[in-house]
Amino acid sequence: MSLRIAIIGGGTAGWMTANLLAHRWGAGKARITLVEAPEIATIGVGEGSTPTLKRFFEILGIAEAEWMPACCATYKAGIRFRGWSPASGVAQYSHPFLTQIDLHTEEAFTLNCRNRRLGLDVPTAPGDFLLGGVLAAQGKAPLAPDHFPFRMEYGYHFDATLLGQFLRDQALARGVSHRQGRVQDILRDDEGAIAAVMTDRAGPIEADWFVDCTGFAALLMRGALDVPFAGFRDNLFNDAAVMLPTPSAASIPVETTATALSHGWAWSIPLTSRNGNGYVYSRDFLSADAAEQELRAALGLRESPVEARHLTFQTGQLVRHWERNCLAVGLAQGFVEPLEATALHLVLNTVDLFMDHLERGRFTPQYRDAFNAVITDRVERVRDYIVAHYKLNTRDDSDYWRANRDNGHLSDPLLHILDTWFRRGDLVALLEQQPELSHFTSASWHCLLAGYGAFPPLAEMQREDVDFYRSRDLARFLDGCSLNFPSHGDALAQMKKVAA
Ligand SMILES: Cc1cc2nc3c(=O)[nH]c(=O)nc-3n(C[C@H](O)[C@H](O)[C@H](O)COP(=O)(O)OP(=O)(O)OC[C@H]3O[C@@H](n4cnc5c(N)ncnc54)[C@H](O)[C@@H]3O)c2cc1C
């Protein structure tokens, strides 16, 4: 029997979901329909990814040359953080995505961090220990040639609107049917499950399973099914963003930049067609007008006629991501905040896990509670990691940064991790023994904590007789590896040629 699945909403989350479902269940197992109201715009932001987007395209068998030029996409080896911890003496640091080859250098990095926590004056800049950091510093694409014997991990920057259109065409080619209509009502059956979604011009949409991809509106989950929302306002203060594009740089960086400003932070996301810029801030501390002026000043656009776009958002998550016969995906399920660009990462996680659990339960809700527990925990652990960026800041230029530093609403897992670090404990062992404490690896935590310079003062006595960190050997090793990689510009030009 063929399942009827209706996806409501055609933003990035809706079309990613449509492709994933069609890829796994399309041939005979499911009839998938996506309904959207084109007059309700998609959010139009969300232009940086984690390496999970690479996995998404690999699952679907779509080559980079097929989608990247069509979406003005560039490579992303990591994120450069500027100005988050000036009092520790760190003006900026690179947080690369970890790749397989970093297994050879990660130990030296964590060992140095350990020694630095004991007071020794050893280098700890994450970007000097991990290949992605070296490539970013050299402006090289993390694109390994065939003879390079290690798998590279990286993310992308892309135009969100173009990616939505690309994924729509892919989904249609995979047999997904596309209807245009605005949801006006949602009908429930006698047991409370969703029976049909009533639209203005696509008629009633009946299905066995519904996927709520209606963005922040969460029409099915929060509207019809009344699923409560657990906000993160207690420890994530940001709730608004202002955006202004600028022309692409002559040499396109391989990193997102996240620069701390007076009451939040600004992203810089390099595409081939433009640079996306946005200031994420808290309305409790800054007005929209002041945020726009500050972003304009930071970009040198004070006098520019280019119009800024403003939006507001709510951080938090549904207390259940799967309710009755409905799954929430994307902004409808919740939002942590854009730092670390984890939203599309959670989309793939959610849909993948949903399909696994539904199959395991023979297409019944048998494993719904187990699924909900995993996803809720995952979102909370992503939140913890982002909260740590704010909690550990050492800025003193506004109440906003001081309030973040004073934030006492930390979860137990986050407190445990920070406590282990500051008590000079073994974070690697902790996260190996208790992986449930974090969604991020211990190497990622070392990048964040070392990147912030979150260390005690240096010891008075330093040992000069021991080369603890083998930094010269490391540099030679990583520089040698980097010789295999093309410049970012060459890689993008080559891809365009292949695409043509
Ligand atoms: C400031 C900011 C920065 C971000 N940066 C990143 C980032 O760098 N990386 C990342 O991964 N994510 C980021 N995100 C999150 C990312 O934008 C979203 O996760 C992603 O775009 C998916 O959005 P969506 O599809 O869930 O919702 P939307 O794009 O809002 O789509 C909602 C869909 O629902 C439809 N719809 C709504 N109401 C109705 C109705 N009544 N009837 C029919 N259809 C309806 C709309 O037409 C639309 O098609 C960011 C978010 C914000 C707010």
Side-chain angles (χ1 to χ4, degrees), residues 460-478:
E460 269 179 32
M461 299 284 288
Q462 292 289 327
R463 292 184 61 174
E464 285 171 12
D465 56 327
V466 181
D467 184 7
F468 283 107
Y469 44 86
R470 297 174 287 137
S471 63
R472 255 169 292 123
D473 293 349
L474 274 180
R476 202 175 313 122
F477 174 70
L478 291 172

Side-chain angles (χ1 to χ4, degrees), residues 9-13 37 40 42-43 45-46 48 181 183 213-215 219 331 335 338 341 343-344:
T12 315
I40 303 177
T42 59
I43 190 150
V45 285
V183 176
C213 291
T214 58
L219 290 176
L331 297 174
F335 183 49
L344 299 183

Side-chain angles (χ1 to χ4, degrees), residues 8-15 34-50 76 158 160 181-184 199 213-217 219 240-241 243 267 269 280 311-313 329-335 337-345 347:
I8 316 298
T12 315
W15 287 116
L34 186 145
V35 188
E36 63 168 332
E39 68 275 18
I40 303 177
T42 59
I43 190 150
V45 285
E47 305 202 314
S49 84
T50 66
K76 174 179 173 185
F158 48 85
R182 190 178 183 124
V183 176
Q184 294 193 310
T199 68
C213 291
T214 58
F216 285 125
L219 290 176
M243 287 142 293
W267 76 73
I269 292 190
V280 185
L311 58 78
T312 59
F313 57 83
V329 179
L331 297 174
Q333 70 185 126
F335 183 49
E337 91 132 77
L339 195 64
E340 297 288 350
T342 47
L344 299 183
H345 169 98
V347 167

Side-chain angles (χ1 to χ4, degrees), residues 157-191:
H157 305 114
F158 48 85
D159 180 311
T161 305
L162 296 179
L163 181 65
Q165 288 164 8
F166 180 88
L167 293 177
R168 179 197 59 206
D169 294 346
Q170 287 290 321
L172 298 187
R174 284 166 204 271
V176 171
S177 78
H178 182 199
R179 312 280 295 275
Q180 297 196 345
R182 190 178 183 124
V183 176
Q184 294 193 310
D185 199 7
I186 293 160
L187 304 186
R188 317 239 333 240
D189 66 18
D190 294 344
E191 274 147 29

Side-chain angles (χ1 to χ4, degrees), residues 177-246:
S177 78
H178 182 199
R179 312 280 295 275
Q180 297 196 345
R182 190 178 183 124
V183 176
Q184 294 193 310
D185 199 7
I186 293 160
L187 304 186
R188 317 239 333 240
D189 66 18
D190 294 344
E191 274 147 29
I194 296 178
V197 167
M198 312 302 287
T199 68
D200 59 355
R201 41 198 201 281
I205 307 287
E206 293 177 358
D208 306 303
W209 294 91
F210 291 84
V211 187
D212 187 347
C213 291
T214 58
F216 285 125
L219 290 176
L220 284 71
M221 292 296 263
R222 290 177 80 174
L225 297 175
D226 228 2
V227 178
F229 187 81
F232 294 156
R233 198 57 203 265
D234 271 358
N235 52 15
L236 284 175
F237 304 158
N238 293 344
D239 60 0
V242 50
M243 287 142 293
L244 270 167
T246 49

